[in-house]
PDB file of all heavy atoms in Angstrom:
ATOM      1  N   MET A   1    -132.971  14.092-233.323  1.00 54.00           N
ATOM      2  CA  MET A   1    -133.206  15.445-232.782  1.00 54.00           C
ATOM      3  C   MET A   1    -133.295  15.455-231.248  1.00 54.00           C
ATOM      4  O   MET A   1    -132.601  16.220-230.597  1.00 54.00           O
ATOM      5  CB  MET A   1    -134.463  16.027-233.425  1.00 54.00           C
ATOM      6  CG  MET A   1    -134.761  17.449-233.004  1.00 54.00           C
ATOM      7  SD  MET A   1    -133.580  18.645-233.638  1.00 54.00           S
ATOM      8  CE  MET A   1    -134.464  19.236-235.051  1.00 54.00           C
ATOM      9  N   ARG A   4    -129.941  14.869-229.661  1.00 82.00           N
ATOM     10  CA  ARG A   4    -129.072  16.041-229.809  1.00 82.00           C
ATOM     11  C   ARG A   4    -129.380  17.061-228.709  1.00 82.00           C
ATOM     12  O   ARG A   4    -128.485  17.627-228.106  1.00 82.00           O
ATOM     13  CB  ARG A   4    -129.283  16.668-231.190  1.00 82.00           C
ATOM     14  CG  ARG A   4    -128.067  17.456-231.643  1.00 82.00           C
ATOM     15  CD  ARG A   4    -128.258  18.013-233.007  1.00 82.00           C
ATOM     16  NE  ARG A   4    -129.287  19.041-233.036  1.00 82.00           N
ATOM     17  CZ  ARG A   4    -129.712  19.634-234.152  1.00 82.00           C
ATOM     18  NH1 ARG A   4    -129.223  19.275-235.306  1.00 82.00           N
ATOM     19  NH2 ARG A   4    -130.639  20.554-234.110  1.00 82.00           N
ATOM     20  N   ARG A   5    -130.666  17.235-228.445  1.00 79.00           N
ATOM     21  CA  ARG A   5    -131.052  18.211-227.407  1.00 79.00           C
ATOM     22  C   ARG A   5    -130.587  17.764-226.029  1.00 79.00           C
ATOM     23  O   ARG A   5    -130.117  18.547-225.222  1.00 79.00           O
ATOM     24  CB  ARG A   5    -132.568  18.396-227.407  1.00 79.00           C
ATOM     25  CG  ARG A   5    -133.031  19.219-228.574  1.00 79.00           C
ATOM     26  CD  ARG A   5    -134.515  19.415-228.538  1.00 79.00           C
ATOM     27  NE  ARG A   5    -134.955  20.045-229.766  1.00 79.00           N
ATOM     28  CZ  ARG A   5    -136.214  20.160-230.131  1.00 79.00           C
ATOM     29  NH1 ARG A   5    -137.161  19.679-229.365  1.00 79.00           N
ATOM     30  NH2 ARG A   5    -136.547  20.757-231.259  1.00 79.00           N
TER      31      ARG A   5
ATOM     32  N   ALA B 119    -130.244  33.326-227.169  1.00 88.00           N
ATOM     33  CA  ALA B 119    -130.943  32.037-227.154  1.00 88.00           C
ATOM     34  C   ALA B 119    -132.436  32.249-226.933  1.00 88.00           C
ATOM     35  O   ALA B 119    -133.275  31.611-227.582  1.00 88.00           O
ATOM     36  CB  ALA B 119    -130.358  31.140-226.057  1.00 88.00           C
ATOM     37  N   ALA B 120    -132.773  33.169-226.001  1.00 90.00           N
ATOM     38  CA  ALA B 120    -134.182  33.436-225.722  1.00 90.00           C
ATOM     39  C   ALA B 120    -134.870  33.993-226.961  1.00 90.00           C
ATOM     40  O   ALA B 120    -135.977  33.571-227.323  1.00 90.00           O
ATOM     41  CB  ALA B 120    -134.295  34.413-224.554  1.00 90.00           C
ATOM     42  N   LEU B 121    -134.202  34.931-227.632  1.00 89.00           N
ATOM     43  CA  LEU B 121    -134.781  35.526-228.845  1.00 89.00           C
ATOM     44  C   LEU B 121    -135.005  34.463-229.915  1.00 89.00           C
ATOM     45  O   LEU B 121    -136.038  34.422-230.579  1.00 89.00           O
ATOM     46  CB  LEU B 121    -133.851  36.621-229.384  1.00 89.00           C
ATOM     47  CG  LEU B 121    -133.842  37.931-228.586  1.00 89.00           C
ATOM     48  CD1 LEU B 121    -132.789  38.877-229.134  1.00 89.00           C
ATOM     49  CD2 LEU B 121    -135.219  38.588-228.638  1.00 89.00           C
ATOM     50  N   TRP B 122    -134.020  33.597-230.043  1.00 88.00           N
ATOM     51  CA  TRP B 122    -134.102  32.556-231.068  1.00 88.00           C
ATOM     52  C   TRP B 122    -135.279  31.618-230.787  1.00 88.00           C
ATOM     53  O   TRP B 122    -136.048  31.257-231.663  1.00 88.00           O
ATOM     54  CB  TRP B 122    -132.785  31.777-231.099  1.00 88.00           C
ATOM     55  CG  TRP B 122    -132.774  30.667-232.100  1.00 88.00           C
ATOM     56  CD1 TRP B 122    -132.712  30.793-233.457  1.00 88.00           C
ATOM     57  CD2 TRP B 122    -132.854  29.264-231.829  1.00 88.00           C
ATOM     58  NE1 TRP B 122    -132.737  29.562-234.049  1.00 88.00           N
ATOM     59  CE2 TRP B 122    -132.827  28.595-233.064  1.00 88.00           C
ATOM     60  CE3 TRP B 122    -132.939  28.518-230.662  1.00 88.00           C
ATOM     61  CZ2 TRP B 122    -132.874  27.209-233.161  1.00 88.00           C
ATOM     62  CZ3 TRP B 122    -132.987  27.142-230.767  1.00 88.00           C
ATOM     63  CH2 TRP B 122    -132.957  26.500-232.007  1.00 88.00           C
ATOM     64  N   LEU B 123    -135.422  31.260-229.497  1.00 86.00           N
ATOM     65  CA  LEU B 123    -136.507  30.354-229.120  1.00 86.00           C
ATOM     66  C   LEU B 123    -137.871  30.991-229.373  1.00 86.00           C
ATOM     67  O   LEU B 123    -138.778  30.360-229.914  1.00 86.00           O
ATOM     68  CB  LEU B 123    -136.373  29.966-227.644  1.00 86.00           C
ATOM     69  CG  LEU B 123    -135.322  28.897-227.357  1.00 86.00           C
ATOM     70  CD1 LEU B 123    -135.156  28.711-225.864  1.00 86.00           C
ATOM     71  CD2 LEU B 123    -135.712  27.564-228.001  1.00 86.00           C
ATOM     72  N   VAL B 124    -137.979  32.286-228.973  1.00 86.00           N
ATOM     73  CA  VAL B 124    -139.247  32.991-229.175  1.00 86.00           C
ATOM     74  C   VAL B 124    -139.578  33.037-230.668  1.00 86.00           C
ATOM     75  O   VAL B 124    -140.697  32.761-231.095  1.00 86.00           O
ATOM     76  CB  VAL B 124    -139.170  34.414-228.576  1.00 86.00           C
ATOM     77  CG1 VAL B 124    -140.344  35.258-229.031  1.00 86.00           C
ATOM     78  CG2 VAL B 124    -139.128  34.338-227.061  1.00 86.00           C
ATOM     79  N   HIS B 125    -138.559  33.356-231.454  1.00 82.00           N
ATOM     80  CA  HIS B 125    -138.738  33.436-232.896  1.00 82.00           C
ATOM     81  C   HIS B 125    -139.218  32.092-233.460  1.00 82.00           C
ATOM     82  O   HIS B 125    -140.144  32.013-234.255  1.00 82.00           O
ATOM     83  CB  HIS B 125    -137.400  33.840-233.519  1.00 82.00           C
ATOM     84  CG  HIS B 125    -137.457  33.937-235.013  1.00 82.00           C
ATOM     85  ND1 HIS B 125    -138.253  34.852-235.662  1.00 82.00           N
ATOM     86  CD2 HIS B 125    -136.816  33.232-235.978  1.00 82.00           C
ATOM     87  CE1 HIS B 125    -138.091  34.703-236.974  1.00 82.00           C
ATOM     88  NE2 HIS B 125    -137.237  33.728-237.189  1.00 82.00           N
ATOM     89  N   ARG B 126    -138.600  31.033-232.946  1.00 80.00           N
ATOM     90  CA  ARG B 126    -138.915  29.705-233.451  1.00 80.00           C
ATOM     91  C   ARG B 126    -140.345  29.298-233.079  1.00 80.00           C
ATOM     92  O   ARG B 126    -141.075  28.741-233.891  1.00 80.00           O
ATOM     93  CB  ARG B 126    -137.911  28.727-232.850  1.00 80.00           C
ATOM     94  CG  ARG B 126    -137.975  27.392-233.488  1.00 80.00           C
ATOM     95  CD  ARG B 126    -136.894  26.517-232.980  1.00 80.00           C
ATOM     96  NE  ARG B 126    -137.240  25.163-233.370  1.00 80.00           N
ATOM     97  CZ  ARG B 126    -136.378  24.175-233.418  1.00 80.00           C
ATOM     98  NH1 ARG B 126    -135.152  24.391-233.115  1.00 80.00           N
ATOM     99  NH2 ARG B 126    -136.754  22.980-233.789  1.00 80.00           N
ATOM    100  N   TRP B 127    -140.706  29.603-231.822  1.00 80.00           N
ATOM    101  CA  TRP B 127    -142.057  29.260-231.386  1.00 80.00           C
ATOM    102  C   TRP B 127    -143.097  30.040-232.201  1.00 80.00           C
ATOM    103  O   TRP B 127    -144.135  29.521-232.558  1.00 80.00           O
ATOM    104  CB  TRP B 127    -142.232  29.573-229.896  1.00 80.00           C
ATOM    105  CG  TRP B 127    -141.513  28.593-229.015  1.00 80.00           C
ATOM    106  CD1 TRP B 127    -141.172  27.316-229.330  1.00 80.00           C
ATOM    107  CD2 TRP B 127    -141.039  28.811-227.699  1.00 80.00           C
ATOM    108  NE1 TRP B 127    -140.513  26.714-228.296  1.00 80.00           N
ATOM    109  CE2 TRP B 127    -140.413  27.611-227.270  1.00 80.00           C
ATOM    110  CE3 TRP B 127    -141.067  29.890-226.809  1.00 80.00           C
ATOM    111  CZ2 TRP B 127    -139.840  27.471-226.019  1.00 80.00           C
ATOM    112  CZ3 TRP B 127    -140.501  29.741-225.561  1.00 80.00           C
ATOM    113  CH2 TRP B 127    -139.893  28.547-225.180  1.00 80.00           C
ATOM    114  N   THR B 128    -142.778  31.307-232.452  1.00 77.00           N
ATOM    115  CA  THR B 128    -143.711  32.121-233.226  1.00 77.00           C
ATOM    116  C   THR B 128    -143.920  31.504-234.601  1.00 77.00           C
ATOM    117  O   THR B 128    -145.027  31.404-235.107  1.00 77.00           O
ATOM    118  CB  THR B 128    -143.158  33.554-233.388  1.00 77.00           C
ATOM    119  OG1 THR B 128    -142.684  33.980-232.140  1.00 77.00           O
ATOM    120  CG2 THR B 128    -144.210  34.508-233.893  1.00 77.00           C
ATOM    121  N   LEU B 129    -142.834  31.058-235.193  1.00 73.00           N
ATOM    122  CA  LEU B 129    -142.918  30.454-236.526  1.00 73.00           C
ATOM    123  C   LEU B 129    -143.752  29.186-236.496  1.00 73.00           C
ATOM    124  O   LEU B 129    -144.554  28.912-237.364  1.00 73.00           O
ATOM    125  CB  LEU B 129    -141.518  30.116-237.025  1.00 73.00           C
ATOM    126  CG  LEU B 129    -140.791  31.226-237.766  1.00 73.00           C
ATOM    127  CD1 LEU B 129    -139.443  30.713-238.221  1.00 73.00           C
ATOM    128  CD2 LEU B 129    -141.592  31.703-238.964  1.00 73.00           C
ATOM    129  N   LYS B 130    -143.550  28.415-235.420  1.00 65.00           N
ATOM    130  CA  LYS B 130    -144.268  27.149-235.305  1.00 65.00           C
ATOM    131  C   LYS B 130    -145.769  27.376-235.262  1.00 65.00           C
ATOM    132  O   LYS B 130    -146.551  26.660-235.843  1.00 65.00           O
ATOM    133  CB  LYS B 130    -143.832  26.429-234.030  1.00 65.00           C
ATOM    134  CG  LYS B 130    -142.727  25.462-234.244  1.00 65.00           C
ATOM    135  CD  LYS B 130    -142.588  24.634-232.993  1.00 65.00           C
ATOM    136  CE  LYS B 130    -141.433  23.669-233.140  1.00 65.00           C
ATOM    137  NZ  LYS B 130    -141.259  22.875-231.934  1.00 65.00           N
ATOM    138  N   LYS B 131    -146.137  28.391-234.440  1.00 62.00           N
ATOM    139  CA  LYS B 131    -147.557  28.672-234.284  1.00 62.00           C
ATOM    140  C   LYS B 131    -148.149  29.157-235.591  1.00 62.00           C
ATOM    141  O   LYS B 131    -149.208  28.750-236.034  1.00 62.00           O
ATOM    142  CB  LYS B 131    -147.755  29.750-233.216  1.00 62.00           C
ATOM    143  CG  LYS B 131    -147.655  29.219-231.812  1.00 62.00           C
ATOM    144  CD  LYS B 131    -147.972  30.348-230.876  1.00 62.00           C
ATOM    145  CE  LYS B 131    -147.546  30.030-229.461  1.00 62.00           C
ATOM    146  NZ  LYS B 131    -147.717  31.190-228.598  1.00 62.00           N
ATOM    147  N   ASN B 132    -147.417  30.075-236.185  1.00 61.00           N
ATOM    148  CA  ASN B 132    -147.954  30.725-237.367  1.00 61.00           C
ATOM    149  C   ASN B 132    -147.569  29.953-238.617  1.00 61.00           C
ATOM    150  O   ASN B 132    -146.765  30.373-239.419  1.00 61.00           O
ATOM    151  CB  ASN B 132    -147.408  32.156-237.416  1.00 61.00           C
ATOM    152  CG  ASN B 132    -148.140  32.994-238.438  1.00 61.00           C
ATOM    153  OD1 ASN B 132    -149.150  32.556-238.963  1.00 61.00           O
ATOM    154  ND2 ASN B 132    -147.616  34.154-238.703  1.00 61.00           N
ATOM    155  N   GLY B 179    -146.441  19.794-237.382  1.00 84.00           N
ATOM    156  CA  GLY B 179    -145.230  20.260-236.691  1.00 84.00           C
ATOM    157  C   GLY B 179    -143.997  20.055-237.551  1.00 84.00           C
ATOM    158  O   GLY B 179    -143.143  20.938-237.683  1.00 84.00           O
ATOM    159  N   ALA B 182    -143.838  22.543-240.309  1.00 84.00           N
ATOM    160  CA  ALA B 182    -143.441  23.879-239.838  1.00 84.00           C
ATOM    161  C   ALA B 182    -141.940  23.939-239.601  1.00 84.00           C
ATOM    162  O   ALA B 182    -141.262  24.906-239.962  1.00 84.00           O
ATOM    163  CB  ALA B 182    -144.190  24.212-238.553  1.00 84.00           C
ATOM    164  N   GLU B 183    -141.397  22.876-238.994  1.00 85.00           N
ATOM    165  CA  GLU B 183    -139.948  22.836-238.742  1.00 85.00           C
ATOM    166  C   GLU B 183    -139.177  22.845-240.040  1.00 85.00           C
ATOM    167  O   GLU B 183    -138.141  23.482-240.180  1.00 85.00           O
ATOM    168  CB  GLU B 183    -139.591  21.590-237.938  1.00 85.00           C
ATOM    169  CG  GLU B 183    -139.833  21.757-236.450  1.00 85.00           C
ATOM    170  CD  GLU B 183    -139.287  20.586-235.643  1.00 85.00           C
ATOM    171  OE1 GLU B 183    -138.377  19.909-236.141  1.00 85.00           O
ATOM    172  OE2 GLU B 183    -139.800  20.360-234.533  1.00 85.00           O
ATOM    173  N   LEU B 184    -139.722  22.113-241.012  1.00 85.00           N
ATOM    174  CA  LEU B 184    -139.067  22.034-242.318  1.00 85.00           C
ATOM    175  C   LEU B 184    -139.013  23.412-242.963  1.00 85.00           C
ATOM    176  O   LEU B 184    -137.976  23.839-243.481  1.00 85.00           O
ATOM    177  CB  LEU B 184    -139.851  21.050-243.195  1.00 85.00           C
ATOM    178  CG  LEU B 184    -139.115  20.508-244.411  1.00 85.00           C
ATOM    179  CD1 LEU B 184    -137.954  19.629-243.973  1.00 85.00           C
ATOM    180  CD2 LEU B 184    -140.071  19.699-245.289  1.00 85.00           C
ATOM    181  N   PHE B 186    -139.133  26.223-241.423  1.00 85.00           N
ATOM    182  CA  PHE B 186    -138.214  27.073-240.668  1.00 85.00           C
ATOM    183  C   PHE B 186    -136.760  26.792-241.049  1.00 85.00           C
ATOM    184  O   PHE B 186    -135.955  27.687-241.270  1.00 85.00           O
ATOM    185  CB  PHE B 186    -138.422  26.836-239.168  1.00 85.00           C
ATOM    186  CG  PHE B 186    -137.485  27.647-238.317  1.00 85.00           C
ATOM    187  CD1 PHE B 186    -137.690  29.009-238.128  1.00 85.00           C
ATOM    188  CD2 PHE B 186    -136.381  27.049-237.731  1.00 85.00           C
ATOM    189  CE1 PHE B 186    -136.822  29.751-237.366  1.00 85.00           C
ATOM    190  CE2 PHE B 186    -135.505  27.789-236.972  1.00 85.00           C
ATOM    191  CZ  PHE B 186    -135.736  29.144-236.787  1.00 85.00           C
ATOM    192  N   ASP B 187    -136.439  25.488-241.124  1.00 85.00           N
ATOM    193  CA  ASP B 187    -135.067  25.113-241.480  1.00 85.00           C
ATOM    194  C   ASP B 187    -134.704  25.624-242.870  1.00 85.00           C
ATOM    195  O   ASP B 187    -133.571  26.048-243.118  1.00 85.00           O
ATOM    196  CB  ASP B 187    -134.897  23.587-241.424  1.00 85.00           C
ATOM    197  CG  ASP B 187    -134.861  23.090-239.984  1.00 85.00           C
ATOM    198  OD1 ASP B 187    -134.742  23.950-239.079  1.00 85.00           O
ATOM    199  OD2 ASP B 187    -134.960  21.868-239.770  1.00 85.00           O
ATOM    200  N   SER B 190    -134.127  29.275-242.694  1.00 81.00           N
ATOM    201  CA  SER B 190    -132.847  29.559-242.026  1.00 81.00           C
ATOM    202  C   SER B 190    -131.660  29.089-242.855  1.00 81.00           C
ATOM    203  O   SER B 190    -130.525  29.089-242.373  1.00 81.00           O
ATOM    204  CB  SER B 190    -132.789  28.848-240.678  1.00 81.00           C
ATOM    205  OG  SER B 190    -133.984  28.934-240.019  1.00 81.00           O
ATOM    206  N   LYS B 192    -130.823  26.143-243.613  1.00 79.00           N
ATOM    207  CA  LYS B 192    -130.156  24.931-243.121  1.00 79.00           C
ATOM    208  C   LYS B 192    -130.344  23.779-244.102  1.00 79.00           C
ATOM    209  O   LYS B 192    -129.686  22.757-243.994  1.00 79.00           O
ATOM    210  CB  LYS B 192    -130.739  24.521-241.758  1.00 79.00           C
ATOM    211  CG  LYS B 192    -130.312  25.405-240.612  1.00 79.00           C
ATOM    212  CD  LYS B 192    -130.894  24.868-239.328  1.00 79.00           C
ATOM    213  CE  LYS B 192    -130.603  25.803-238.176  1.00 79.00           C
ATOM    214  NZ  LYS B 192    -131.376  25.441-236.990  1.00 79.00           N
ATOM    215  N   ARG B 244    -144.372  16.836-226.999  1.00 72.00           N
ATOM    216  CA  ARG B 244    -144.571  15.399-227.190  1.00 72.00           C
ATOM    217  C   ARG B 244    -144.436  14.720-225.844  1.00 72.00           C
ATOM    218  O   ARG B 244    -143.799  15.251-224.924  1.00 72.00           O
ATOM    219  CB  ARG B 244    -143.507  14.882-228.161  1.00 72.00           C
ATOM    220  CG  ARG B 244    -143.791  15.388-229.550  1.00 72.00           C
ATOM    221  CD  ARG B 244    -142.690  15.050-230.494  1.00 72.00           C
ATOM    222  NE  ARG B 244    -142.787  15.940-231.645  1.00 72.00           N
ATOM    223  CZ  ARG B 244    -141.816  16.142-232.489  1.00 72.00           C
ATOM    224  NH1 ARG B 244    -140.658  15.551-232.328  1.00 72.00           N
ATOM    225  NH2 ARG B 244    -141.977  16.950-233.514  1.00 72.00           N
ATOM    226  N   GLN B 247    -141.048  14.305-224.347  1.00 78.00           N
ATOM    227  CA  GLN B 247    -140.417  15.534-223.864  1.00 78.00           C
ATOM    228  C   GLN B 247    -140.846  15.817-222.430  1.00 78.00           C
ATOM    229  O   GLN B 247    -140.039  16.184-221.583  1.00 78.00           O
ATOM    230  CB  GLN B 247    -140.799  16.708-224.758  1.00 78.00           C
ATOM    231  CG  GLN B 247    -140.104  16.656-226.119  1.00 78.00           C
ATOM    232  CD  GLN B 247    -140.564  17.761-227.038  1.00 78.00           C
ATOM    233  OE1 GLN B 247    -141.753  18.013-227.160  1.00 78.00           O
ATOM    234  NE2 GLN B 247    -139.611  18.410-227.687  1.00 78.00           N
TER     235      GLN B 247
END
Side-chain angles (χ1 to χ4, degrees):
Chain A
M1 183 69 98
R4 205 178 68 185
R5 285 181 188 169
Chain B
L121 286 174
W122 179 72
L123 282 173
V124 168
H125 179 63
R126 191 174 165 161
W127 287 336
T128 314
L129 272 182
K130 266 191 182 179
K131 281 184 195 173
N132 192 10
E183 278 188 23
L184 198 67
F186 178 76
D187 287 348
S190 318
K192 286 183 186 169
R244 289 173 200 163
Q247 287 176 314

